[in-house]
Amino acid sequence: MKIETIAIHAGNHVDETSKAVIQPIILSTTFERAVDGTFPGGHIYSRSSNPNRALLENVLAKLEGGADAASFSSGNAAGMSVFQSLAPGTHIIGPDDMYHGLRNQLKNLFAGILTFDFIDVNNPEDLQSHIKPETGLIWIETPSNPLLKITDIKKVVAIAKAKGIKVACDNTFATPVCQQPLALGADLVMHSATKYFGGHSDLMGGALITKEKNDWWLKIRQVQEMGGAIPSPMDCYMLTRSIKTLPYRMRGHVHNAQLLAEFLEKHPKVEEVMYPGLPSHPQHVIAKEQMSAFGGMLSFTLKGGEAEARRVINGLKIFTKATSLGGVESLIEHRATVEGPDTKTPFNLLRVSVGLEHIDDLIADLERAL
């Protein structure tokens, strides 16, 4: 089935009792045993599994072309479960502009348990030189947040596989509509489902999708079940509902982002536009090879420095000054402020989550503010 069909049908079933065409929300935390002690409904306790979560995980796995999926209460919980699944002393290589929430997890929560280096994973020589005997995971994020760097997934996978190292890819910015990391060789895909999967800035969630059900995946599943950082049945239902429109929403995000990036690139006050759909992007060729579309996120820097960036962001009317991304409404933020004192983000950079408003209105708003 094509991705539009998968998005609608893989997370849904007709209710056998009522014949409702949309699955019911099952709020029960516990499920009845049969006389012989088995569970005829397939569920025991909702921390372990729930009918709504099972449907959500099925559609997530199918969208990414994976063997299985695990859903979590947030993207950070999903990422943390990967780190918790690794043996103490494991070395992780991550990108130098890794999403600050997961980078700070490693630095603050896993210091003394795991070791890690944040490097330019797009430089094969640099990547090779940082691999150690205890390196167990290379974490990539493409496109990256907020610099929109593109990592050649196949190239990183080739280096990793030669050393028996696993590769996990944060696919939040691209979504499975624009990029399929498992098909390119990655072992694991991570998402903040709060973003494009949810799509309306009103629920939180995280997801992991595996290429195969192996011992590592079993360990991650144990972390999910025993740790209990799971989404509620209502959140699972709402995520499954939102995913049904994901392919069509992404088309709108991509369309608007491309046109907005082209407008900004021509503006005399703009220093640089970071969007992989522009031929000027340093990894545009790689993006064309591994992405079917270029996503709805972009960043740009202003010639007037931080003061100009703050002036522009405060002059906008349609774009909302807020963190997060992936909703139908356009959001903009001064990313360095959000990331804190150890940020590597330029202070004249603004990050934009391009929404589904009419592109003429978005361009007019930015043009006026600039």
Side-chain angles (χ1 to χ4, degrees), residues 65-68 166 182 186-188 209-218:
D68 197 13
K166 300 291 188 184
L182 298 182
D187 299 286
L188 194 70
I209 302 96
T210 185
K211 190 172 187 176
E212 59 183 54
K213 295 182 182 180
N214 50 26
D215 290 342
W216 185 34
W217 181 248
L218 177 62

Side-chain angles (χ1 to χ4, degrees), residues 44 50 82 137 192 206 261 279 318 345:
I44 302 172
N50 165 278
V82 177
L137 177 67
S192 171
I318 295 175
T345 299

Side-chain angles (χ1 to χ4, degrees), residues 111-141:
I113 302 170
L114 304 172
T115 62
F116 34 85
D117 286 305
F118 303 110
I119 66 164
D120 180 5
V121 293
N122 298 327
N123 183 326
E125 292 77 21
D126 200 16
L127 181 56
Q128 292 271 18
S129 69
H130 280 86
I131 292 176
K132 304 175 182 180
E134 65 270 25
T135 302
L137 177 67
I138 299 175
W139 185 279
I140 59 177
E141 180 183 321

